[in-house]
Amino acid sequence: MSPNSALSGAMGKRPLEIAAGDVTIGDPSIKGARITQITHGNFQTALLPRKALLRACPNAEDLIARAIPGANPITSMFLRYYDLAHAHADKLAPAELDAVSQHLFDLAVLMIGARGDVAEEARLRGLAAARFEAIKADILAQLDSAALSLSDIAATHRISARTIQLLFEKAGITYSGFVLEQRLLRAERLLRNPGLRSRKIIEIAHLAGFHDVSYFHRAFRRRFGATPDDVRKLASEAE
């Protein structure tokens, strides 16, 4: 995977010419296998267990050195989940790493072309997990926006609002509950930040995505058992 540069090379007798942003399958056991970047960029590789891959996708070897379009929705999801996994891998417990690895494998077999029961299992497990993480990441990126809405998130991910609600319910929380909790946690972090000590409470509320300050105070006290002013003073005294 090379998002910023085209790839060139060969897998044995098969020439390899892949555009930037696309994906290909390589096999380092092939004599003379080589892949190089045409220009400077970030080269990424996901190692997949060969036997498991061929059980799920018997045609996988036919796709070696061929381009898999990065614009394909499943490929795009795979690449995004790969980046999320790479960014957070050092913070995950072994069992969590195993789950993330399985999700990446599920997305890979869907991207390569799994069919039948294998594809259905991968959709239920890997695709759902990757989609859920992508949705949460989008929400966190827009927390400070008053315009953040379930319908807009659903439109961005090309799924129904009800599907998003079901993903959250499966995780034991509601969509609105997740948004509120993340906004409150952001507000609490901002209040403890010494660099923001001069900012008014109303400004902190807005930075966390709350535009009804009375509601912010009520929700904050319910969540933390203290007022925003109390949390700021305690943080200041602890320095």
Coordinates of all heavy atoms in Angstrom, one line a residue, residues 75-143:
T75 N -11.9 -1.4 0.1 CA -10.5 -1.0 0.2 C -10.3 0.2 1.0 O -9.4 0.3 1.8 CB -9.9 -0.9 -1.2 OG1 -10.2 -2.0 -2.0 CG2 -8.4 -0.7 -1.2
S76 N -11.1 1.2 0.8 CA -11.0 2.5 1.6 C -11.2 2.2 3.0 O -10.5 2.7 3.9 CB -12.0 3.5 1.0 OG -12.0 4.7 1.8
M77 N -12.1 1.3 3.4 CA -12.4 1.0 4.8 C -11.2 0.2 5.4 O -10.8 0.5 6.5 CB -13.6 0.1 4.9 CG -14.1 -0.1 6.3 SD -14.7 1.3 7.1 CE -16.3 1.6 6.3
F78 N -10.6 -0.7 4.6 CA -9.4 -1.4 5.0 C -8.3 -0.5 5.3 O -7.6 -0.6 6.4 CB -9.0 -2.4 3.9 CG -7.7 -3.1 4.2 CD1 -7.7 -4.2 5.0 CD2 -6.5 -2.6 3.7 CE1 -6.4 -4.9 5.3 CE2 -5.3 -3.3 3.9 CZ -5.3 -4.4 4.8
L79 N -8.0 0.5 4.4 CA -6.9 1.4 4.6 C -7.1 2.3 5.8 O -6.2 2.6 6.6 CB -6.7 2.2 3.3 CG -6.3 1.5 2.1 CD1 -6.4 2.4 0.9 CD2 -4.9 0.9 2.3
R80 N -8.3 2.7 6.0 CA -8.6 3.6 7.1 C -8.5 2.8 8.5 O -7.9 3.3 9.4 CB -10.0 4.2 7.0 CG -10.4 5.2 8.1 CD -11.6 6.0 7.7 NE -11.8 7.0 8.7 CZ -12.8 7.9 8.6 NH1 -13.6 7.9 7.6 NH2 -13.0 8.8 9.5
Y81 N -9.0 1.6 8.5 CA -8.9 0.8 9.7 C -7.4 0.4 10.0 O -7.0 0.4 11.1 CB -9.8 -0.4 9.6 CG -10.0 -1.2 10.9 CD1 -10.7 -0.5 11.9 CD2 -9.5 -2.4 11.1 CE1 -10.9 -1.2 13.1 CE2 -9.7 -3.1 12.3 CZ -10.4 -2.5 13.3 OH -10.6 -3.2 14.5
Y82 N -6.7 0.2 8.9 CA -5.3 -0.1 9.1 C -4.6 1.1 9.8 O -3.8 0.9 10.7 CB -4.6 -0.3 7.7 CG -3.1 -0.5 7.7 CD1 -2.6 -1.8 7.7 CD2 -2.3 0.5 7.7 CE1 -1.2 -2.0 7.8 CE2 -0.9 0.4 7.7 CZ -0.4 -0.9 7.7 OH 1.0 -1.1 7.7
D83 N -4.9 2.3 9.3 CA -4.2 3.5 9.9 C -4.7 3.6 11.4 O -3.8 4.0 12.3 CB -4.6 4.7 9.2 CG -4.0 4.8 7.8 OD1 -2.9 4.2 7.6 OD2 -4.5 5.5 6.9
L84 N -5.9 3.4 11.7 CA -6.4 3.5 13.1 C -5.7 2.4 14.0 O -5.3 2.7 15.1 CB -7.9 3.3 13.1 CG -8.8 4.4 12.8 CD1 -10.3 4.0 12.6 CD2 -8.7 5.5 13.9
A85 N -5.6 1.2 13.4 CA -5.0 0.1 14.2 C -3.5 0.4 14.4 O -3.0 0.2 15.6 CB -5.1 -1.2 13.4
H86 N -2.8 1.0 13.4 CA -1.4 1.3 13.5 C -1.2 2.4 14.6 O -0.2 2.4 15.4 CB -0.9 1.7 12.2 CG 0.6 1.8 12.1 ND1 1.3 3.0 12.4 CD2 1.6 0.9 11.9 CE1 2.6 2.8 12.3 NE2 2.8 1.5 12.0
A87 N -2.1 3.4 14.6 CA -2.0 4.5 15.5 C -2.2 4.1 17.0 O -1.6 4.7 17.9 CB -3.0 5.6 15.1
H88 N -3.0 3.1 17.2 CA -3.4 2.7 18.6 C -2.8 1.4 19.1 O -3.1 1.0 20.2 CB -4.9 2.8 18.7 CG -5.5 4.1 18.4 ND1 -5.4 5.2 19.3 CD2 -6.3 4.5 17.4 CE1 -6.0 6.2 18.8 NE2 -6.6 5.9 17.6
A89 N -2.1 0.7 18.2 CA -1.6 -0.7 18.5 C -0.9 -0.7 19.9 O -1.0 -1.7 20.6 CB -0.8 -1.2 17.4
D90 N 0.0 0.3 20.1 CA 0.8 0.2 21.3 C 0.0 0.4 22.6 O 0.5 0.2 23.7 CB 1.9 1.2 21.3 CG 1.4 2.7 21.2 OD1 0.2 2.9 20.8 OD2 2.2 3.6 21.5
K91 N -1.3 0.8 22.5 CA -2.1 1.0 23.7 C -3.1 -0.2 23.9 O -3.9 -0.1 24.9 CB -2.9 2.3 23.5 CG -2.1 3.5 23.2 CD -2.9 4.7 23.0 CE -2.2 5.9 22.4 NZ -1.8 5.7 21.0
L92 N -3.1 -1.2 23.0 CA -4.0 -2.3 23.1 C -3.5 -3.5 23.9 O -2.3 -3.8 23.8 CB -4.4 -2.7 21.7 CG -5.1 -1.6 20.8 CD1 -5.4 -2.2 19.4 CD2 -6.4 -1.1 21.5
A93 N -4.4 -4.1 24.6 CA -4.0 -5.4 25.3 C -3.9 -6.5 24.2 O -4.5 -6.4 23.1 CB -5.1 -5.7 26.3
P94 N -3.2 -7.6 24.6 CA -3.1 -8.7 23.6 C -4.4 -9.2 23.0 O -4.5 -9.4 21.8 CB -2.4 -9.8 24.4 CG -1.6 -9.0 25.4 CD -2.5 -7.9 25.8
A95 N -5.5 -9.3 23.8 CA -6.7 -9.8 23.3 C -7.3 -8.8 22.3 O -8.0 -9.1 21.3 CB -7.7 -10.0 24.5
E96 N -7.1 -7.5 22.6 CA -7.6 -6.4 21.7 C -6.9 -6.4 20.4 O -7.5 -6.2 19.3 CB -7.5 -5.1 22.4 CG -8.4 -5.0 23.7 CD -8.1 -3.7 24.5 OE1 -7.0 -3.3 24.5 OE2 -9.1 -3.2 25.1
L97 N -5.6 -6.7 20.5 CA -4.8 -6.7 19.3 C -5.2 -7.9 18.4 O -5.3 -7.8 17.2 CB -3.3 -6.9 19.6 CG -2.5 -5.6 20.0 CD1 -1.1 -6.0 20.6 CD2 -2.4 -4.7 18.9
D98 N -5.5 -9.0 19.0 CA -6.0 -10.2 18.3 C -7.3 -9.9 17.6 O -7.5 -10.2 16.4 CB -6.2 -11.4 19.2 CG -4.9 -12.0 19.7 OD1 -3.9 -11.7 19.1 OD2 -5.0 -12.8 20.7
A99 N -8.2 -9.1 18.2 CA -9.5 -8.8 17.6 C -9.3 -7.8 16.5 O -9.9 -8.0 15.4 CB -10.4 -8.1 18.7
V100 N -8.4 -6.8 16.6 CA -8.1 -5.9 15.6 C -7.5 -6.6 14.4 O -7.8 -6.3 13.2 CB -7.2 -4.8 16.1 CG1 -6.7 -3.9 14.9 CG2 -8.0 -3.9 17.0
S101 N -6.6 -7.5 14.6 CA -5.9 -8.3 13.6 C -7.0 -9.1 12.8 O -6.9 -9.2 11.6 CB -4.9 -9.2 14.1 OG -3.8 -8.5 14.7
Q102 N -7.9 -9.7 13.5 CA -9.0 -10.5 12.9 C -9.9 -9.6 12.0 O -10.2 -9.9 10.9 CB -9.9 -11.2 13.9 CG -11.0 -12.0 13.3 CD -10.5 -13.2 12.5 OE1 -9.8 -14.0 13.0 NE2 -10.8 -13.2 11.2
H103 N -10.2 -8.4 12.5 CA -11.0 -7.4 11.7 C -10.2 -7.0 10.4 O -10.9 -6.9 9.4 CB -11.3 -6.2 12.6 CG -12.1 -6.5 13.8 ND1 -12.1 -5.7 14.9 CD2 -12.9 -7.5 14.1 CE1 -12.9 -6.2 15.8 NE2 -13.4 -7.3 15.3
L104 N -8.9 -6.8 10.5 CA -8.2 -6.4 9.3 C -8.2 -7.6 8.3 O -8.3 -7.4 7.1 CB -6.7 -6.0 9.7 CG -6.5 -4.6 10.2 CD1 -5.1 -4.5 10.8 CD2 -6.7 -3.6 9.1
F105 N -8.0 -8.8 8.8 CA -8.1 -10.0 8.0 C -9.4 -10.1 7.3 O -9.5 -10.3 6.1 CB -7.8 -11.2 8.8 CG -7.7 -12.5 7.9 CD1 -6.6 -12.8 7.2 CD2 -8.8 -13.3 7.8 CE1 -6.6 -13.9 6.4 CE2 -8.8 -14.4 7.0 CZ -7.7 -14.8 6.3
D106 N -10.5 -9.9 8.0 CA -11.9 -9.9 7.5 C -12.0 -8.9 6.4 O -12.6 -9.2 5.3 CB -12.9 -9.7 8.6 CG -13.0 -10.8 9.5 OD1 -12.7 -11.9 9.2 OD2 -13.4 -10.6 10.7
L107 N -11.5 -7.7 6.6 CA -11.6 -6.6 5.6 C -10.8 -7.0 4.3 O -11.2 -6.7 3.2 CB -11.2 -5.3 6.1 CG -12.1 -4.6 7.1 CD1 -11.4 -3.4 7.8 CD2 -13.4 -4.2 6.4
A108 N -9.6 -7.6 4.6 CA -8.7 -8.0 3.5 C -9.4 -9.0 2.6 O -9.4 -8.9 1.4 CB -7.4 -8.5 4.0
V109 N -10.1 -10.0 3.2 CA -10.7 -11.1 2.3 C -11.9 -10.5 1.6 O -12.2 -10.9 0.5 CB -11.1 -12.3 3.2 CG1 -9.8 -12.9 3.8 CG2 -12.1 -12.1 4.2
L110 N -12.6 -9.6 2.2 CA -13.7 -8.9 1.5 C -13.1 -8.1 0.3 O -13.7 -8.1 -0.8 CB -14.5 -8.0 2.4 CG -15.4 -8.7 3.4 CD1 -16.0 -7.7 4.4 CD2 -16.5 -9.5 2.7
M111 N -12.0 -7.4 0.5 CA -11.4 -6.6 -0.5 C -10.9 -7.5 -1.6 O -11.0 -7.1 -2.8 CB -10.2 -5.8 0.1 CG -9.4 -5.0 -0.8 SD -8.1 -4.1 0.1 CE -7.0 -5.4 0.7
I112 N -10.3 -8.6 -1.3 CA -9.8 -9.5 -2.3 C -10.9 -10.3 -3.1 O -10.7 -10.6 -4.3 CB -8.8 -10.5 -1.7 CG1 -7.6 -9.7 -1.2 CG2 -8.3 -11.6 -2.7 CD1 -6.7 -10.5 -0.3
G113 N -12.0 -10.5 -2.4 CA -13.1 -11.2 -3.1 C -13.7 -12.4 -2.5 O -14.0 -13.4 -3.2
A114 N -13.7 -12.5 -1.2 CA -14.3 -13.7 -0.5 C -15.8 -13.8 -0.9 O -16.5 -12.8 -1.2 CB -14.2 -13.5 1.0
R115 N -16.3 -15.0 -1.0 CA -17.7 -15.2 -1.3 C -18.4 -16.1 -0.3 O -17.8 -16.7 0.5 CB -17.8 -15.9 -2.7 CG -17.2 -15.1 -3.9 CD -18.1 -13.9 -4.2 NE -17.6 -13.2 -5.4 CZ -16.8 -12.2 -5.4 NH1 -16.3 -11.8 -4.2 NH2 -16.4 -11.6 -6.5
G116 N -19.7 -16.1 -0.4 CA -20.5 -17.1 0.4 C -20.4 -16.8 1.9 O -20.4 -15.7 2.4
D117 N -20.4 -17.9 2.6 CA -20.4 -17.9 4.1 C -19.2 -17.1 4.6 O -19.3 -16.4 5.6 CB -20.4 -19.3 4.7 CG -21.7 -20.0 4.4 OD1 -22.7 -19.3 4.1 OD2 -21.8 -21.2 4.6
V118 N -18.0 -17.3 4.0 CA -16.8 -16.6 4.4 C -17.0 -15.1 4.4 O -16.7 -14.3 5.3 CB -15.6 -17.0 3.6 CG1 -14.4 -16.1 3.9 CG2 -15.2 -18.5 3.8
A119 N -17.6 -14.6 3.3 CA -17.8 -13.2 3.1 C -18.8 -12.7 4.1 O -18.7 -11.6 4.7 CB -18.3 -12.9 1.7
E120 N -19.9 -13.4 4.3 CA -20.9 -13.0 5.3 C -20.3 -12.9 6.7 O -20.6 -11.9 7.4 CB -22.1 -14.0 5.3 CG -23.2 -13.6 6.2 CD -23.8 -12.3 5.8 OE1 -23.7 -11.9 4.6 OE2 -24.5 -11.6 6.6
E121 N -19.5 -13.9 7.1 CA -18.9 -13.8 8.4 C -18.0 -12.6 8.5 O -17.9 -11.9 9.5 CB -18.1 -15.1 8.7 CG -17.5 -15.2 10.1 CD -16.8 -16.5 10.3 OE1 -16.6 -17.3 9.4 OE2 -16.3 -16.7 11.5
A122 N -17.2 -12.3 7.5 CA -16.3 -11.2 7.5 C -17.1 -9.9 7.6 O -16.6 -8.9 8.2 CB -15.4 -11.2 6.2
R123 N -18.2 -9.8 6.9 CA -19.0 -8.6 7.0 C -19.6 -8.4 8.4 O -19.6 -7.3 8.9 CB -20.2 -8.7 6.0 CG -19.8 -8.5 4.5 CD -21.1 -8.4 3.6 NE -20.7 -8.5 2.2 CZ -20.8 -9.7 1.6 NH1 -21.3 -10.8 2.2 NH2 -20.5 -9.7 0.3
L124 N -20.1 -9.4 9.0 CA -20.6 -9.3 10.3 C -19.6 -9.0 11.4 O -19.9 -8.3 12.3 CB -21.3 -10.7 10.7 CG -22.6 -11.0 9.9 CD1 -23.1 -12.4 10.3 CD2 -23.7 -10.0 10.2
R125 N -18.4 -9.4 11.1 CA -17.3 -9.2 12.1 C -16.4 -8.0 11.8 O -16.4 -7.0 12.4 CB -16.5 -10.5 12.3 CG -15.5 -10.5 13.4 CD -14.9 -11.9 13.5 NE -14.4 -12.4 12.2 CZ -14.2 -13.7 12.0 NH1 -14.4 -14.6 12.9 NH2 -13.8 -14.1 10.8
G126 N -15.6 -8.2 10.8 CA -14.6 -7.2 10.4 C -15.2 -5.9 9.9 O -14.8 -4.8 10.3
L127 N -16.1 -6.0 8.9 CA -16.6 -4.8 8.3 C -17.4 -3.9 9.3 O -17.2 -2.7 9.4 CB -17.5 -5.1 7.1 CG -18.1 -3.9 6.4 CD1 -17.0 -3.0 5.9 CD2 -18.9 -4.4 5.2
A128 N -18.2 -4.6 10.2 CA -18.9 -3.9 11.2 C -18.0 -3.2 12.2 O -18.2 -2.0 12.5 CB -19.9 -4.8 11.9
A129 N -17.0 -3.9 12.6 CA -16.0 -3.3 13.5 C -15.3 -2.1 12.9 O -15.1 -1.0 13.6 CB -15.0 -4.3 14.0
A130 N -14.8 -2.2 11.7 CA -14.1 -1.2 11.0 C -15.0 0.0 10.8 O -14.6 1.2 11.0 CB -13.5 -1.7 9.7
R131 N -16.2 -0.2 10.4 CA -17.1 0.9 10.2 C -17.4 1.6 11.5 O -17.5 2.9 11.5 CB -18.4 0.3 9.6 CG -19.5 1.4 9.3 CD -20.6 0.7 8.5 NE -20.3 0.6 7.1 CZ -20.9 -0.2 6.3 NH1 -21.9 -1.0 6.7 NH2 -20.6 -0.2 5.0
F132 N -17.6 0.9 12.5 CA -17.9 1.5 13.8 C -16.7 2.4 14.3 O -17.0 3.5 14.8 CB -18.2 0.4 14.9 CG -18.7 0.9 16.2 CD1 -19.6 1.9 16.3 CD2 -18.2 0.4 17.4 CE1 -20.1 2.3 17.5 CE2 -18.7 0.8 18.6 CZ -19.6 1.8 18.7
E133 N -15.5 1.9 14.1 CA -14.4 2.7 14.5 C -14.2 3.9 13.7 O -13.9 5.0 14.1 CB -13.1 1.9 14.4 CG -13.0 0.7 15.5 CD -13.1 1.3 16.9 OE1 -12.5 2.3 17.2 OE2 -13.8 0.6 17.7
A134 N -14.5 3.8 12.4 CA -14.5 5.0 11.5 C -15.5 6.0 11.8 O -15.3 7.2 11.8 CB -14.6 4.5 10.0
I135 N -16.7 5.5 12.2 CA -17.8 6.4 12.6 C -17.4 7.2 13.9 O -17.6 8.4 14.0 CB -19.1 5.6 12.8 CG1 -19.6 5.2 11.4 CG2 -20.1 6.5 13.6 CD1 -20.8 4.2 11.5
K136 N -16.9 6.4 14.9 CA -16.4 7.1 16.1 C -15.3 8.1 15.9 O -15.4 9.2 16.5 CB -16.0 6.0 17.1 CG -17.1 5.2 17.7 CD -16.7 4.4 18.9 CE -15.7 3.3 18.5 NZ -15.4 2.5 19.7
A137 N -14.4 7.8 15.0 CA -13.3 8.7 14.7 C -13.9 10.0 14.0 O -13.5 11.1 14.3 CB -12.3 8.1 13.7
D138 N -14.9 9.9 13.2 CA -15.5 11.0 12.5 C -16.2 11.9 13.6 O -16.2 13.1 13.5 CB -16.5 10.6 11.4 CG -15.8 10.3 10.1 OD1 -14.6 10.6 10.0 OD2 -16.4 9.8 9.2
I139 N -16.9 11.2 14.5 CA -17.6 12.0 15.5 C -16.6 12.8 16.4 O -16.8 14.0 16.7 CB -18.4 11.0 16.4 CG1 -19.6 10.4 15.6 CG2 -19.0 11.7 17.7 CD1 -20.3 9.3 16.3
L140 N -15.5 12.1 16.8 CA -14.5 12.8 17.6 C -13.9 14.0 16.9 O -13.6 15.0 17.5 CB -13.5 11.8 18.1 CG -13.9 10.7 19.0 CD1 -12.8 9.7 19.3 CD2 -14.5 11.2 20.3
A141 N -13.8 13.9 15.6 CA -13.2 15.0 14.8 C -14.1 16.2 14.7 O -13.7 17.3 14.4 CB -12.8 14.5 13.4
Q142 N -15.4 15.9 15.0 CA -16.4 17.0 14.9 C -17.1 17.4 16.2 O -18.1 18.1 16.2 CB -17.5 16.6 13.9 CG -17.0 16.3 12.5 CD -18.1 15.8 11.6 OE1 -19.1 16.5 11.3 NE2 -18.0 14.6 11.1
L143 N -16.5 16.9 17.3 CA -17.2 17.1 18.6 C -17.5 18.6 18.9 O -18.5 18.9 19.5 CB -16.3 16.6 19.7 CG -16.5 15.1 20.1 CD1 -15.6 14.8 21.3 CD2 -17.9 14.8 20.4

